[in-house]
Amino acid sequence: MTKAIGEFDYIIVGAGSAGCVLANQLSENPANRVLLIEAGASDFSPMIHMPRGVARVLSYQKYMWYYQGQIPVNDDKVPDMWMRGRTLGGSSSINGAIYVRGQAEDYDALGDSGCEGWNWDTMHTYFRRLENQLLGEDGNRGVGGPLTVERHSTPNAVCNAFIDAAGQVGLSALEDTNCRAPEGIGYASATIDRGRRCSAATAFLKPARNRKNLTIVTRTLTEKLIFEGTRAAAVLCRQGGRQIAFKCRGEIIVSAGTIESPKLLQLSGIGPAKHLQSLDVAVVHDNPHVGSNLREHRVLPLQFHVNLPETENQQLQGLALARNVAKYLLTRRGIMGYPSYEVIGYFRALTTSQRPDAELLMAPISYTLGEGGLTLDKESGFHAMSLALRPESRGFIRIQSADSSVAPDISPNYLATENDRNVTIASYRFLQSLCQQPALRSLAIEQRNFTDVTTDDEIIDAYLRHGTPAYHAVGTCSMGEDENAVVDSRLRVKGVSGLRVVDCSVMPTILAGHTNGPAMAMAWRAADLIIEDNRQQGQ
Ligand SMILES: Cc1cc2nc3c(=O)[nH]c(=O)nc-3n(C[C@H](O)[C@H](O)[C@H](O)COP(=O)(O)OP(=O)(O)OC[C@H]3O[C@@H](n4cnc5c(N)ncnc54)[C@H](O)[C@@H]3O)c2cc1C
């Protein structure tokens, strides 16, 4: 028999970027009893907190969700590996730590689509509240908030050459790549606080952890939401070998991320009725859009060698690596405290675009992919990639079984629209042209992979066959006021009560950038909406 434990005002499923913000904000009022449920373990590993430890953490099953998918390319099926963080802080504890707000126009488009309050002016106030930007106040950046953001501040020869080469193809250098209208290139801002990762758990859970009204349970997988009629009343969880239930008198908030949130809704009977019935899942609310509208960036890492005495390749291998880890542990300084990508840029790949439609990422590290995985090159090098910022192509996530331990079918449908293909091709050519500029030619730059990729078809084929997702997926519980939405613009799940979704899955489109910062800013606003709605109900 399932044991029922406690009764809470708010139950949050998933302690990721969004879940940690919600737990902090909703437990601020001691009158609220808040439960935060995380499937993964605590975030104790020093590898999580040392930003470059990510190279290790990504292979630790304990902290990761892996999804082994396949995508069709012509007549072939090509492996497509997805992953997410599974620990306190969620993906913010295992990500590349790059901090991006996105473009104001995309928030405005969301507001204009009927999602009141998600426009830039409003969201800008949440970003400012969120941030403690070490670059300082300038009317745009936030200072004094819980999330420390520092601009990577250790220039090196190959990054400088890359930025100079970008200048030679017309891209201006940016001091702050999150400035008001980011178009240009510069050293990336990162969620790093003097060498330590500033995850959502560090920024939001740590200060709230000792609150008596906040209960955090880890290693507890939520398998299903339990409804009384159409009201979400409890969550059914697996903890070790036992099944337990937590009851909720207020609201359940699903913050399990773009893959697991639609999966949990579908397992609980909210989704495409025919599909759910075919798996013997009792339907609570038929909504064919749960899990649809999946959007993801596709990247193709290009590897280059350069004639320099060293790049980070040499610093991250053998004795030098051991020295760098020791230096980091003693002083928190040096290469182990850097973000995964040091340079980021935004540009117009299509001449017809009114604002940046593509992004560049560059790291002073080059590697070879082989049977055994990724091996850093002995020679000096870097890798760089470009992506279409605002993909229109839409895929889906669908459960394949009523058993919660079975991974869902992830079908991203990359580069399916002409616009996505055109931006991707143009962005690839832009990167090629950048790498042929004098600033990089003077370093005797040599491309190491995809040298025979030249035609449009070859570029798309290479992105699909040899590329990877950028891990910015959104959209599977999309917000909106139309019939295609899963949640309304206050993030309440349509067709039932007492249930919201708050995480990247509610973003109908990728807000032209990376997704950690936007997930946290949106969760903060969501917490305000929840508090406001419940105050009004209590009156
Ligand atoms: C490898 C990688 C690199 C990335 N790099 C960057 C970057 O540099 N910059 C950037 O801005 N973004 C980056 N991202 C993306 C960004 O980190 C994520 O989009 C963002 O953190 C997602 O926030 P979320 O709240 O939607 O979900 P998550 O942070 O993924 O949180 C979901 C949480 O829910 C838990 N959970 C899931 N299902 C259940 C369940 N059934 N029961 C209980 N708990 C559950 C998970 O374990 C997880 O902790 C990266 C992502 C990855 C995977």
Side-chain angles (χ1 to χ4, degrees):
M1 210 178 94
T2 305
K3 196 174 158 202
I5 301 176
E7 194 172 21
F8 295 87
D9 297 301
Y10 298 111
I11 295 182
I12 303 159
V13 178
S17 302
C20 290
V21 177
L22 289 166
N24 179 306
Q25 291 300 297
L26 295 178
S27 66
E28 208 167 44
N29 178 349
N32 294 332
R33 260 195 97 194
V34 179
L35 172 68
L36 176 64
I37 305 173
E38 170 54 42
S42 215
D43 59 344
F44 285 138
S45 168
M47 288 296 161
I48 288 179
H49 301 285
M50 176 173 77
R52 280 286 170 87
V54 66
R56 277 291 180 84
V57 171
L58 293 183
S59 65
Y60 290 171
Q61 290 198 8
K62 178 177 173 189
Y63 297 123
M64 298 297 300
W65 301 84
Y66 302 112
Y67 306 89
Q68 190 60 65
Q70 283 188 327
I71 52 170
V73 184
N74 297 328
D75 291 336
D76 302 327
K77 291 267 184 213
V78 173
D80 189 38
M81 161 93 142
W82 285 42
M83 51 186 161
R84 288 293 179 278
R86 183 188 176 111
T87 179
L88 294 180
S91 300
S92 78
S93 289
I94 58 90
N95 71 9
I98 296 167
Y99 180 72
V100 180
R101 288 168 162 185
Q103 289 177 18
E105 293 86 343
D106 293 299
Y107 291 90
D108 283 340
L110 186 54
D112 292 347
S113 74
C115 295
E116 204 189 315
W118 296 103
N119 57 309
W120 178 246
D121 278 353
T122 311
M123 289 312 296
H124 188 210
T125 63
Y126 282 94
F127 278 108
R128 278 170 62 79
R129 222 184 271 180
L130 183 72
E131 296 166 352
N132 178 32
Q133 291 239 26
L134 300 187
L135 275 180
E137 168 66 84
D138 67 345
N140 175 39
R141 296 187 279 263
V143 171
L147 185 78
T148 296
V149 176
E150 64 181 32
R151 193 200 48 194
H152 179 62
S153 60
T154 315
N156 68 57
V158 71
C159 290
N160 285 346
F162 192 85
I163 293 170
D164 290 346
Q168 288 161 349
V169 287
L171 218 53
S172 43
L174 297 175
E175 195 217 0
D176 178 359
T177 52
N178 284 299
C179 59
R180 276 186 191 275
E183 180 162 10
I185 190 161
Y187 281 97
S189 291
T191 42
I192 294 177
D193 185 358
R194 287 155 279 236
R196 265 176 84 83
R197 176 189 293 279
C198 190
S199 68
T202 306
F204 289 95
L205 270 198
K206 217 171 155 193
R209 243 176 195 168
N210 293 331
R211 290 180 190 160
K212 288 201 171 60
N213 60 328
L214 173 63
T215 306
I216 303 170
V217 291
T218 54
R219 298 176 192 264
T220 304
L221 178 78
T222 304
E223 295 187 307
K224 208 177 164 183
L225 311 170
I226 309 292
F227 288 88
E228 279 170 4
T230 53
R231 187 184 85 82
V235 294
L236 196 63
C237 298
R238 185 153 297 279
Q239 196 180 53
R242 64 179 187 155
Q243 206 173 46
I244 49 176
F246 296 101
K247 288 200 265 179
C248 187
R249 56 180 164 246
E251 287 197 40
I252 297 173
I253 303 143
V254 175
S255 297
T258 295
I259 303 170
E260 294 293 327
S261 285
K263 178 182 158 192
L264 185 57
L265 292 194
Q266 291 176 18
L267 286 171
S268 311
I270 302 172
K274 267 195 190 150
H275 180 65
L276 300 188
Q277 279 154 351
S278 74
L279 299 171
D280 286 334
V281 173
V283 176
V284 175
H285 176 63
D286 176 18
N287 185 338
H289 304 291
V290 176
S292 68
N293 188 45
L294 172 65
R295 312 224 189 184
E296 174 58 303
H297 288 145
R298 187 75 174 169
V299 291
L300 180 69
L302 302 185
Q303 309 291 332
F304 300 90
H305 283 173
V306 285
N307 185 12
L308 276 170
E310 69 167 32
T311 55
E312 290 179 11
N313 289 352
Q314 294 83 356
Q315 289 297 320
L316 292 169
Q317 301 184 61
L319 267 182
L321 173 62
R323 264 198 310 273
N324 280 318
V325 172
K327 175 178 169 184
Y328 177 85
L329 295 175
L330 290 171
T331 66
R332 275 214 218 158
R333 290 180 193 279
I335 197 168
M336 304 313 291
Y338 294 178
S340 299
Y341 287 87
E342 289 168 42
V343 175
I344 190 167
Y346 305 100
F347 63 102
R348 296 175 214 206
L350 300 183
T351 47
T352 47
S353 294
Q354 303 298 307
R355 59 191 169 97
D357 54 14
E359 181 183 316
L360 285 173
L361 285 166
M362 181 268 190
I365 299 169
S366 65
Y367 57 83
T368 307
L369 266 180
E371 294 276 300
L374 180 160
T375 314
L376 289 186
D377 295 338
K378 298 272 177 247
E379 303 86 344
S380 297
F382 71 90
H383 77 276
M385 53 204 193
S386 66
L387 58 88
L389 267 174
R390 235 171 271 109
E392 298 170 343
S393 306
R394 295 186 292 176
F396 63 83
I397 284 176
R398 206 177 282 155
I399 53 169
Q400 307 190 79
S401 162
D403 176 350
S404 65
S405 68
V406 176
D409 176 8
I410 301 179
S411 183
N413 201 22
Y414 299 114
L415 309 183
T417 72
E418 199 179 345
N419 185 64
D420 289 356
R421 289 191 294 274
N422 287 342
V423 178
T424 301
I425 292 163
S427 76
Y428 178 88
R429 294 199 193 289
F430 183 91
L431 176 56
Q432 291 282 318
S433 146
L434 185 159
C435 290
Q436 282 153 21
Q437 297 308 305
L440 282 168
R441 276 216 314 270
S442 68
L443 303 181
I445 181 172
E446 185 195 350
Q447 190 170 332
R448 303 295 297 170
N449 58 354
F450 308 118
T451 47
D452 53 351
V453 169
T454 49
T455 67
D456 290 0
D457 287 349
E458 286 166 350
I459 295 170
I460 293 303
D461 193 71
Y463 266 79
L464 292 175
R465 277 181 203 278
H466 306 291
T468 70
Y471 309 114
H472 299 151
V474 305
T476 49
C477 298
S478 189
M479 76 162 98
E481 292 300 333
D482 57 11
E483 71 280 6
N484 295 333
V486 174
V487 296
D488 66 15
S489 50
R490 299 182 82 80
L491 309 187
R492 295 172 296 209
V493 176
K494 294 187 170 186
V496 295
S497 63
L499 184 63
R500 298 194 204 223
V501 179
V502 180
D503 57 26
C504 283
S505 71
V506 303
M507 302 174 192
T509 59
I510 303 184
L511 297 153
H514 301 214
T515 37
N516 182 33
M520 289 186 276
M522 290 174 97
W524 199 323
R525 175 157 192 270
D528 284 353
L529 295 178
I530 293 167
I531 292 165
E532 191 179 291
D533 287 351
N534 285 296
R535 196 180 296 132
Q536 275 169 10
Q537 267 175 19
Q539 277 169 0

